[in-house]
Amino acid sequence: MRGLLCLGGPLLLAVATPAAAQSGQLPPPPPPVVSQSEPGYGPLRDLHQALTIKQANFNRMRQDHIAKCDRIPPSDTARIEWCRGNVRTLGRERSAYDLALREYNAKQAFYQGRTLYKRKNYDGAIAKYEQARSMLPAGSQFEGNIEDELDLARAAKSLAANNGEAARGFLQRIIDRGVICTGWLTEQFQTLSREFDAWIRRNREKVNKGLNHQYGRPGTCAIRG
């Protein structure tokens, strides 16, 4: 334990400011970036509330620690040991908050991707999904499969550009992974599959050359696992 302070009287021990206690208060989490009418607002709101509580609890613990542990007579061994243990506790709490904040920020990007997809901004959706994937801590997960979300946006972008062959390939990759038969992804997948069927009807010449021969039935829902 570092920091013996001689203050013109008894030797006093400073236990308040090894790394975990002296590195400052935790910052508040940013508010949800999507509105109440957009995908993911509910989950992001709940995560934000949990992080806000965690942040307030840590900052209160830190202030209590500083008040109790800043200057301790060397004879007060019980308080010294408590303070040393509390430094470790503060370090664990800070690390847990940092990890939860990383997950929250990744999910912010993920749900921004869904919002942009709904707005037919497919390039924006792809960029946000890729950002979300790069930010998510190990051991955490999104709602659904991020690779499916990416391929859905890529398929929609391809179909909007009248490239049915590329759209078919991305939709087939989702089918090959096994589409979950509930939720937002499946609804969007089935909608896009119907749009792909309409594209086939409009482009029968391309279809007759074999475009759809390798494509699983659009709208088919397979059970993953």
Side-chain angles (χ1 to χ4, degrees):
M1 186 60 61
R2 73 183 186 183
L4 289 177
L5 302 180
C6 185
L7 300 178
L11 193 63
L12 302 178
L13 185 65
V15 195
T17 55
Q22 77 174 157
S23 50
Q25 294 189 341
L26 291 177
V33 292
V34 299
S35 69
Q36 294 186 32
S37 62
E38 292 171 337
Y41 176 79
L44 288 175
R45 177 201 58 206
D46 294 344
L47 287 171
H48 181 265
Q49 290 175 348
L51 278 169
T52 299
I53 292 170
K54 187 183 288 288
Q55 180 234 8
N57 288 341
F58 176 89
N59 289 341
R60 184 173 57 252
M61 287 173 58
R62 177 180 173 275
Q63 289 303 115
D64 290 345
H65 178 94
I66 291 172
K68 187 171 184 178
C69 302
D70 190 28
R71 296 172 181 177
I72 309 172
S75 59
D76 194 347
T77 56
R79 185 147 59 113
I80 290 170
E81 287 306 311
W82 182 90
C83 291
R84 286 173 173 165
N86 204 46
V87 166
R88 293 189 290 271
T89 299
L90 286 168
R92 289 192 295 269
E93 290 296 318
R94 182 180 292 278
S95 295
Y97 179 84
D98 289 345
L99 186 65
L101 185 60
R102 285 173 54 202
E103 179 175 341
Y104 173 69
N105 286 333
K107 291 182 177 180
Q108 291 259 53
F110 174 80
Y111 286 116
Q112 280 182 294
R114 284 190 171 180
T115 295
L116 290 168
Y117 180 91
K118 281 187 62 180
R119 295 174 181 172
K120 301 186 184 302
N121 181 349
Y122 303 124
D123 283 327
I126 291 166
K128 281 296 178 182
Y129 287 143
E130 290 176 339
Q131 179 186 9
R133 182 176 58 183
S134 70
M135 294 168 63
L136 191 71
S140 302
Q141 60 184 11
F142 297 110
E143 174 194 346
N145 187 320
I146 188 68
E147 301 303 326
D148 288 347
E149 305 276 349
L150 275 162
D151 280 340
L152 186 74
R154 291 163 179 154
K157 176 184 176 181
S158 299
L159 201 59
N162 202 35
N163 188 343
E165 183 173 4
R168 175 201 59 77
F170 291 125
L171 290 171
Q172 186 65 54
R173 284 172 24 161
I174 298 173
I175 290 173
D176 291 344
R177 292 190 194 100
V179 177
I180 298 175
C181 292
T182 57
W184 188 90
L185 175 66
T186 297
E187 293 172 6
Q188 304 307 316
F189 176 84
Q190 291 173 344
T191 296
L192 188 59
S193 293
R194 289 192 291 270
E195 293 175 7
F196 180 79
D197 279 345
W199 185 91
I200 288 177
R201 290 192 294 271
R202 293 193 303 270
N203 294 271
R204 293 190 180 278
E205 183 178 348
K206 290 183 180 181
V207 171
N208 290 338
K209 291 180 180 179
L211 172 62
N212 69 332
H213 290 176
Q214 299 178 2
Y215 179 68
R217 179 71 182 92
T220 300
C221 189
I223 302 295
R224 178 178 291 139

